[in-house]
Amino acid sequence: MIHSQANRFDSSFKLINHTFFSFINQCLALLCLWLVTASFQNAIAAQVEAKSPSLFAVVYRIDGEITAVNAAGSRLLHLGDKVLTGERISAASSSEGVLKTLDGGYVAIRPGAEFIAERFAAEGKSSDHSNLNLIKGALRIISGWIGKINQKGSLVSTATATVGIRGTDHEPYVLLDDDPATNRFHPGTYDKVNQGGTTLTAAGQAVDIDPGKVGFARSQRKHRERALMTLLFPVLLDKVPEFYVPGKFDAEMDELSKSAKSSNLRELQAMRKKVAACVPGEVAASWIKKLDQHIVSRQAEPISAMFGENVRIKATVRDANGNMNELYIERSDFVQSITASVNSLKNYKHRRISIEGNPAEASQQACAPIRVKSIVIEEGRQAGKPYRFESEEIYLLEQFDGQWLAVEAETTQR
């Protein structure tokens, strides 16, 4: 890895006999036969242990400055950007935006609002869930399919109360104690329902909110005495508070709300089809089958297209003295050698003894990375010389724009 790949390969070839040379040449050329995922198993093990944030939404509309803050730092959001669970989303005092959630819903962010998508999973399953923590300000939420298939798992929480969603278009609002509006309105959690319905829970009591109504739960900070506990019970207000004003994107949100039921159903069906196409064992078998077909038909370009731009390749082979040597191959070297090797490959035959596919890491994503392991016996003639060997191949597959690509590959001669 320190010197150029060409010099490394040349020096490696001098250590082995002529027969083994042909094996190495094929190993370099046909990532097909052995290249593997997870060549760095320590790194993969770390990925399994570390629970990385999952995708919550993408930026659908934006006007002004909206910031996402996570452990890595702060970034300004732009149209089309991804928003992950655990990120603190904050809108400037004159800024607004709309996020489209992974379950087909929408979250309009009002000026000055702050919230975190603490827990979110949208895989088209009955266990899908959504828990947004509204810290301050207002959101307008058109719930996606989670609010329909798992109502108990679809919540908006605040420091004061919890809002349960029942397939809804609603507007939760947190008015803090130090907000100027508290000169006219009590601090606490408000929720206005446009369509559907919500349940506002606080101090062990709950109230259902129907369309056109607003529920309210007082801030607990100013009412900690046990004798005043009843003041904390949620109530329905007689009228809509004046601080509820339409947002910049509310006309579009109104139209989206009208078609939410049918669009949620379509997106739920699409997600279920996507999840069905991401079953690890099926993905592994399909990917290996395609790879083998390209090898047998000696198609160099389709072979290279099955590997990511930054793929890391490792081959462990036995020399004439029985010692195991490791070769690390960059994608550029692999691509350059494929055409020549495929053209010189004759009478190629192979037999897959086993193919396994398993999730490479713990993840809430519908199509998380997959680790593929296969034992294969291969034989043929490479550069006019016969060869036969058995090897273990490992691949780490990730999905890019709907296509599974190997981002790591490893082969070990058995």
Side-chain angles (χ1 to χ4, degrees):
M1 299 299 289
I2 299 176
H3 304 293
S4 69
Q5 294 297 325
N7 290 334
R8 183 178 179 83
F9 298 154
D10 288 342
S11 60
S12 298
F13 293 160
K14 294 178 181 179
L15 299 176
I16 56 179
N17 60 29
H18 188 73
T19 301
F20 190 61
F21 175 92
S22 64
F23 169 72
I24 294 292
N25 182 45
Q26 182 177 0
C27 184
L28 289 174
L30 300 177
L31 201 174
C32 66
L33 308 177
W34 39 82
L35 306 165
V36 102
T37 70
S39 56
F40 301 94
Q41 298 191 0
N42 290 337
I44 291 180
Q47 289 179 0
V48 173
E49 295 177 1
K51 294 184 177 179
S52 58
S54 59
L55 178 61
F56 164 61
V58 296
V59 179
Y60 181 76
R61 297 285 185 268
I62 193 165
D63 180 48
E65 294 187 356
I66 297 181
T67 304
V69 178
N70 55 38
S74 175
R75 61 192 173 95
L76 286 176
L77 293 178
H78 301 88
L79 194 65
D81 281 358
K82 295 179 180 180
V83 176
L84 307 179
T85 55
E87 292 191 306
R88 187 183 185 110
I89 309 302
S90 305
S93 59
S94 59
S95 301
E96 299 183 51
V98 179
L99 307 180
K100 183 173 182 180
T101 60
L102 197 59
D103 68 332
Y106 296 87
V107 177
I109 308 167
R110 305 301 198 195
E114 290 188 17
F115 81 99
I116 300 172
E118 293 185 333
R119 298 178 63 249
F120 188 86
E123 299 182 3
K125 303 177 182 178
S126 59
S127 59
D128 287 356
H129 54 268
S130 173
N131 190 343
L132 308 188
N133 178 9
L134 180 56
I135 300 166
K136 70 173 184 177
L139 304 174
R140 178 176 176 180
I141 301 173
I142 299 176
S143 61
W145 72 63
I146 297 176
K148 297 173 176 59
I149 67 175
N150 185 17
Q151 293 180 352
K152 291 183 179 180
S154 185
L155 303 170
V156 176
S157 60
T158 74
T160 304
T162 300
V163 181
I165 299 170
R166 294 179 281 142
T168 307
D169 173 355
H170 70 122
E171 301 179 49
Y173 196 121
V174 171
L175 192 62
L176 298 180
D177 296 340
D178 57 357
D179 193 295
T182 56
N183 292 329
R184 298 182 57 196
F185 302 98
H186 294 294
T189 298
Y190 297 78
D191 193 49
K192 179 169 78 76
V193 173
N194 301 317
Q195 288 190 29
T198 63
T199 299
L200 182 64
T201 302
Q205 300 295 315
V207 61
D208 290 336
I209 309 172
D210 295 323
K213 299 296 184 178
V214 177
F216 170 64
R218 288 176 180 267
S219 170
Q220 299 177 18
R221 295 179 182 177
K222 292 186 177 182
H223 301 280
R224 295 186 182 277
E225 296 84 353
R226 189 172 184 83
L228 298 179
M229 183 61 71
T230 55
L231 293 178
L232 303 180
F233 291 169
V235 298
L236 291 176
L237 302 182
D238 295 332
K239 62 180 182 179
V240 178
E242 297 174 5
F243 53 71
Y244 274 108
V245 295
K248 178 180 179 64
F249 303 105
D250 269 29
E252 185 174 6
M253 292 286 285
D254 290 341
E255 294 302 314
L256 292 170
S257 182
K258 293 177 183 178
S259 60
K261 185 175 182 179
S262 58
S263 63
N264 284 172
L265 179 59
R266 288 194 302 271
E267 299 209 25
L268 174 58
Q269 292 173 338
M271 175 57 75
R272 284 175 171 168
K273 289 181 180 178
K274 180 180 179 182
V275 171
C278 295
V279 177
E282 295 181 6
V283 170
S286 176
W287 195 88
I288 289 292
K289 180 180 179 180
K290 184 184 296 185
L291 180 63
D292 287 345
Q293 288 174 340
H294 293 327
I295 297 169
V296 171
S297 60
R298 297 192 298 176
Q299 300 182 61
E301 186 174 342
I303 292 173
S304 62
M306 296 182 68
F307 297 86
E309 289 297 325
N310 297 315
V311 65
R312 296 296 300 274
I313 303 163
K314 175 185 174 184
T316 303
V317 293
R318 186 176 290 105
D319 63 20
N321 298 319
N323 299 316
M324 302 301 289
N325 294 305
E326 294 182 350
L327 294 176
Y328 293 89
I329 309 163
E330 299 295 337
R331 191 181 192 278
S332 57
D333 297 302
F334 167 67
V335 171
Q336 290 174 7
S337 62
I338 281 181
T339 301
S341 297
V342 167
N343 289 339
S344 64
L345 181 64
K346 305 292 183 182
N347 303 326
Y348 174 73
K349 296 179 182 179
H350 75 280
R351 179 166 63 91
R352 293 280 177 183
I353 299 176
S354 65
I355 301 175
E356 299 176 11
N358 295 289
E361 59 186 51
S363 174
Q364 294 180 346
Q365 298 180 31
C367 291
I370 295 173
R371 179 185 293 181
V372 180
K373 181 184 292 186
S374 178
I375 305 297
V376 61
I377 297 176
E378 305 169 83
E379 61 182 277
R381 298 182 69 85
Q382 180 71 31
K385 300 187 181 301
Y387 70 89
R388 186 182 188 279
F389 57 85
E390 178 180 325
S391 61
E392 179 184 67
E393 301 172 8
I394 302 175
Y395 303 89
L396 180 62
L397 306 183
E398 290 188 13
Q399 197 174 64
F400 298 90
D401 297 326
Q403 181 180 5
W404 289 100
L405 301 179
V407 296
E408 294 180 9
E410 182 177 357
T411 181
T412 302
Q413 183 182 6
R414 291 165 65 94

